[in-house]
Structure formats: structure tokens, C-alpha cells
Amino acid sequence: MRTLALLLALCLAPAALAAEPTIPVRVRILKGSRQGPPALDPRLADLAGQLGKTAYQRWEQVAEETRAMAFKRQADLALPGGETLQLVLEAAHEETVTIQVKVPARKTQSRITISKTQRIVHQVTDERGGEALFVSIRPWP
């Protein structure tokens, strides 16, 4: 009986160890400000069109990561000020992904569907002193 159980466990082990499918996602944390003269961090040049349409005139990139996101698995990213940004890959299709964006400390939650050719910029904190934090998400960077 023990031998049978051991053989069964060994046969199932490779399936359990198989890698989960993942999608690479580039995540950038941005700080937008209404204070001071207009300025754009050179690392954000690809977002200039989107950022220029907001009420914020100064933009700085404060963090960047590329994550291999697995379905239904939470990815935590630290925000300046000690809060946490939580991302969950909810669905993927040939050209799009749907990601849940949460900031638990602020009790905010959004679902965003993004295509391979898009970069989404989404505000994740309230404005304080003329500044707010945003997240830029791009699947398959």
C-alpha cells in the first residue's frame, strides 16, 4: 500500500511542479504634480500623449518593475508613503488582459482591460498637496 502511494505521488509530482502560465506585465509608478513648471521625466516619453491630457503638469517615474503575472495570483508593489498596490491578472485573451488594481488602504478597486498595444495610466491615490500617484500598466512589454 505504501509503495502504491509513493508511486502515485511520484507520478503526480511533475504535474504539480509544472509552471503556471504567466504574462509579462510592465508596471510603473508615477507621481503627477500640479506644482512648479511643466516637466516630464525622460523615462516617461512614451506616455507623453496620455499624461499631457491630465490636469497634472509635472511627471516623475518613481518605480518600475516587469512582473511575470500568473492568473488569479496577487502581485504586491510598494507605493511611496508605505501603501501597497495590489494587481491580480483576472483574464487574458489573444490580444487583451484584464487586471484588477487595488489599494487596500484607500479601499479602492478597479478592473482594467488592456490590449497588447496599450499603456494604461490609472490614478491610485488621492491628491495631496497638489500631487497624486498613478500606475502605468503595459502587458507584453
Side-chain angles (χ1 to χ4, degrees):
M1 197 64 144
R2 282 187 188 176
T3 305
L4 180 59
L6 180 59
L7 285 174
L8 183 59
L10 289 174
C11 290
L12 294 177
L17 296 176
E20 291 183 74
T22 62
I23 293 178
V25 178
R26 181 181 184 195
V27 181
R28 296 187 277 180
I29 306 299
L30 319 175
K31 181 169 67 171
S33 178
R34 297 178 192 255
Q35 311 298 323
L40 180 67
D41 186 326
R43 297 173 292 180
L44 301 175
D46 61 319
L47 298 174
Q50 286 175 282
L51 301 177
K53 295 177 183 176
T54 70
Y56 296 88
Q57 58 194 29
R58 294 183 62 84
W59 289 96
E60 174 188 354
Q61 180 174 301
V62 295
E64 177 178 354
E65 280 189 47
T66 299
R67 295 270 182 116
M69 293 189 65
F71 291 93
K72 306 293 182 186
R73 303 271 187 214
Q74 182 174 297
D76 292 347
L77 291 99
L79 293 175
E83 295 174 329
T84 300
L85 175 68
Q86 297 175 340
L87 303 176
V88 177
L89 179 60
E90 292 188 344
H93 303 286
E94 191 172 310
E95 296 291 320
T96 64
V97 297
T98 299
I99 296 177
Q100 182 182 77
V101 179
K102 283 179 162 182
V103 180
R106 299 187 176 277
K107 298 180 178 149
T108 61
Q109 177 177 328
S110 302
R111 290 181 73 201
I112 299 170
T113 300
I114 311 165
S115 76
K116 283 185 175 185
T117 59
Q118 285 183 307
R119 296 170 198 86
I120 296 295
V121 176
H122 182 71
Q123 187 169 342
V124 293
T125 66
D126 295 331
E127 184 177 317
R128 285 187 226 140
E131 296 181 343
L133 293 176
F134 295 75
V135 63
S136 168
I137 302 170
R138 178 156 189 202
W140 301 287

